[in-house]
Amino acid sequence: LMPSDLPNRNGVAMPLETLMGWNINQRRPNYKSWAGVPTHLEHSGYDSPKGIVFDTYMSRINNAKGNIHKVIALTGFDRSKDPELANAILERKRRSYSMGAFIGQYECSWCCALSKPGKLNTECGHVIRGKPSFEDTEKGTLPSYLIARKSIDGFEVSSVGTPAWASATNSFLFDLAKV
């Protein structure tokens, strides 16, 4: 679903400590909040899910600079609900995924300003969710982005044409009908 600590193309990063942090409402770690949620096509049709996320786990990304991990999801797409989508995934015509989550609070990567509860942006103006910007620093030009700091509540995973994180692709597929 995503790497830890790296911002996506929407300008949002999910730190490892937040992903590993405890989700009081769900009584499990934040990264596990996607287990049991529905799967969809392109973040739409929430009233008619295409399948389910069976489970999630964290895995360290080998050869990454720093302590970067990845949230991996075992998803299922039900061919009785959408045969075209299930077949496109099995034929590797659809290889990318995107998650949906509610975030309790964001922090600005530049000034550490916190968003107000339930708000999608901080009020400092350094970054607007969905529109990442770049700032010139002594170390070069760096992106400004929002850091998910509190309560990640996953609510869906979608098969998408373009993922927010370039690494959100499938690596292992199998057809349960043939197992």
Side-chain angles (χ1 to χ4, degrees):
L1 293 180
M2 77 193 77
S4 67
D5 299 287
L6 302 174
N8 65 16
R9 67 183 177 92
N10 296 320
V12 176
M14 306 245 181
L16 181 60
E17 65 266 16
T18 305
L19 289 164
M20 296 296 287
W22 196 252
N23 186 312
I24 294 170
N25 294 331
Q26 294 201 10
R27 296 177 298 282
R28 56 186 171 176
N30 285 309
Y31 76 89
K32 284 285 192 184
S33 70
W34 285 278
V37 300
T39 57
H40 298 283
L41 174 62
E42 299 288 350
H43 301 294
S44 65
Y46 290 132
D47 57 342
S48 57
K50 307 294 184 184
I52 191 167
V53 176
F54 298 114
D55 203 1
T56 57
Y57 66 95
M58 297 287 293
S59 179
R60 190 173 192 318
I61 298 177
N62 295 327
N63 304 317
K65 203 172 196 179
N67 191 23
I68 308 294
H69 286 68
K70 185 175 183 177
V71 178
I72 299 173
L74 175 61
T75 60
F77 287 83
D78 186 342
R79 71 170 43 98
S80 71
K81 305 236 181 208
D82 192 332
E84 284 182 36
L85 174 59
N87 287 331
I89 291 169
L90 283 171
E91 294 168 3
R92 295 186 176 263
K93 293 177 182 172
R94 294 194 67 86
R95 300 176 58 118
S96 301
Y97 298 88
S98 181
M99 60 81 201
F102 297 114
I103 307 299
Q105 191 169 51
Y106 290 104
E107 177 183 305
C108 173
S109 67
W110 280 95
C111 68
C112 300
L114 296 175
S115 66
K116 292 183 178 174
K119 297 293 181 181
L120 295 177
N121 292 303
T122 58
E123 294 181 357
C124 64
H126 291 121
V127 63
I128 297 172
R129 187 180 178 280
K131 296 180 182 178
S133 62
F134 294 86
E135 304 283 337
D136 291 323
T137 72
E138 296 170 358
K139 296 180 181 181
T141 303
L142 298 173
S144 60
Y145 54 93
L146 295 170
I147 302 167
R149 280 292 177 211
K150 288 187 182 174
S151 68
I152 298 171
D153 280 312
F155 65 84
E156 65 96 20
V157 172
S158 284
S159 170
V160 295
T162 305
W165 275 282
S167 64
T169 60
N170 55 2
S171 57
F172 182 73
L173 298 171
F174 60 93
D175 185 344
L176 283 176
K178 297 177 181 177
V179 175

